[in-house]
Structure formats: C-alpha cells, structure tokens
Amino acid sequence: METLLPTSLPLLFGQSLLLGLSIAAPVGQIGLLAIQRTLDHGRLAGLATGLGAACADAVYGAIGAYGITGLIAWLLGLKLWLSLFGGGFLLWLAWRIATQSAARSSSVHAPAGKLMRYVAGTFMLTLSNPTTILSFMALFAALAGHAPSSSPWVMVAGVLMGSALWWLILSIGVGYLRDRFDARWQRAVNLSSAALLGALGLWQLGQLII
C-alpha cells in the first residue's frame, strides 16, 4: 500500500478545492440564475442557487474520484434525455423570469421553502448537463492519477468546498449591488437573464440535431 506523507492530504485537498472553484467560476446558466436571484431576493437566494450546483459537482466528483465506470457509462448513455431535460428546463426558467415582476424593495427575501427549491432545481440542472460529466471525468482522471487510492473523499470534499466558496463570493458581491437597483433596473436584469438562459437552452437542444 502506498505510504502517504502528512502534507499529501492537505495538498490534494487544496488542488481539489481549486478544481471546484475553477469549474464553478465561469459564468454560465447557474451563474446567471445566482446573479438574478440575488438581485431579486437577496444573498441567501443566490447562495442557495449556487449550492445546488456545488452539490451536483460533488456528486460527479465522487463518481470520478471513486472510478465508478459503470455509472459513468450509464450517465453518458442518458446524454440525449439529460440534454432534453436540461434544455427544456432552461427554457422554462427563462419564461418564468421574463414574466415575473421585479422585487419591489431590497427587504424582499425568498422564504425557506423557495430556497430549498432553488437548491433542488440547480442540482438537477447541473446534473443534466452532459458537458459537466465529461469535464469532471477528464479533470478527475488527471488528478486521481497522482493521488493515493485511499483519498477520494478528500478530493470530493475539496471540490464541494471550492465550488461552494465561489457561490458564496458571488452572492456576497452581487448582494452589495442590490440596494442600488430600483425596479426598472431589476426588470432589465430579469429580461437580460431570461434572454441568455433561453439562448443557452436552445443551444443545448440544438446540439442534439447537429
């Protein structure tokens, strides 16, 4: 069995944390949702949106870290249905955001039940993105190749913490802008977010016929 130096686990955790941070940071559909919900309902709404994605990242991280090849093949076999679900869900979200009224004041916050729905929704949306599956398989294969076989949990924890850290930073940062946005600006943000989410949904569905 491979001998593990005392510094190996902290180093692996740090590498995994940076990996989770780098995967979460690019602004895509989850980032747009987190920004829009933070502006409409406060920091907790944006953080809840991001945490759903962070949990999904951890799930894919666990699959890659533990090398569950059968499950990987099964998920890739569902690529068509996952893409249909993800694209359709993005179009539905775009419609909901475009037709909702902007929050009237900065004191409006999402209730606990809605926060849980935000977590669940972005968890499913992130899981349904085939690009996420493939990127995690490649990145974790590279990282796991230099890691001891007894440390997958360290990699999973690092990815989860790195991804969650990004969403915390984003929700806090956007939250500072919330008080400066009146209803007119919030409406403009909602419409812009809806347009971009709709475009991403159409692009994801369009990949199925290319």
Side-chain angles (χ1 to χ4, degrees):
M1 182 178 294
E2 183 176 359
T3 301
L4 188 61
L5 295 176
T7 55
S8 296
L9 286 180
L11 178 60
L12 181 61
F13 179 82
Q15 292 173 332
S16 302
L17 187 146
L18 290 176
L19 176 60
L21 187 64
S22 65
I23 290 175
V27 178
Q29 58 261 40
I30 307 300
L32 290 172
L33 281 173
I35 292 171
Q36 183 267 328
R37 287 171 177 172
T38 300
L39 291 175
D40 263 10
H41 299 294
R43 294 184 181 93
L44 285 179
L47 181 59
T49 299
L51 287 180
C55 291
D57 290 344
V59 169
Y60 278 136
I63 294 172
Y66 284 95
I68 310 174
T69 56
L71 183 55
I72 294 170
W74 180 72
L75 287 170
L76 291 177
L78 294 177
K79 181 178 179 180
L80 172 63
W81 298 107
L82 291 173
S83 296
L84 285 172
F85 171 80
F89 191 42
L90 284 173
L91 291 177
W92 178 79
L93 284 173
W95 176 79
R96 283 289 302 274
I97 292 171
T99 56
Q100 74 180 18
S101 58
R104 295 183 179 180
S105 73
S106 60
S107 62
V108 177
H109 297 281
K114 181 170 285 189
L115 293 178
M116 293 305 298
R117 289 197 296 273
Y118 286 167
V119 173
T122 50
F123 177 79
M124 294 302 300
L125 182 59
T126 305
L127 285 181
S128 70
N129 188 350
T131 305
T132 305
I133 303 174
L134 297 175
S135 63
F136 261 111
M137 294 310 100
L139 291 170
F140 261 85
L143 187 59
H146 302 284
S149 58
S150 60
S151 61
W153 64 270
V154 177
M155 299 168 63
V156 175
V159 166
L160 177 61
M161 293 297 294
S163 183
L165 177 61
W166 166 252
W167 299 116
L168 178 63
I169 293 171
L170 181 66
S171 60
I172 290 175
V174 176
Y176 281 116
L177 301 175
R178 192 181 181 218
D179 293 338
R180 303 182 183 182
F181 277 66
D182 57 18
R184 181 174 60 87
W185 277 105
Q186 288 187 18
R187 180 61 177 163
V189 170
N190 285 352
L191 291 176
S192 299
S193 299
L196 289 170
L197 288 172
L200 287 169
L202 291 174
W203 177 83
Q204 187 164 327
L205 292 174
Q207 296 302 302
L208 299 176
I209 58 177
I210 294 178

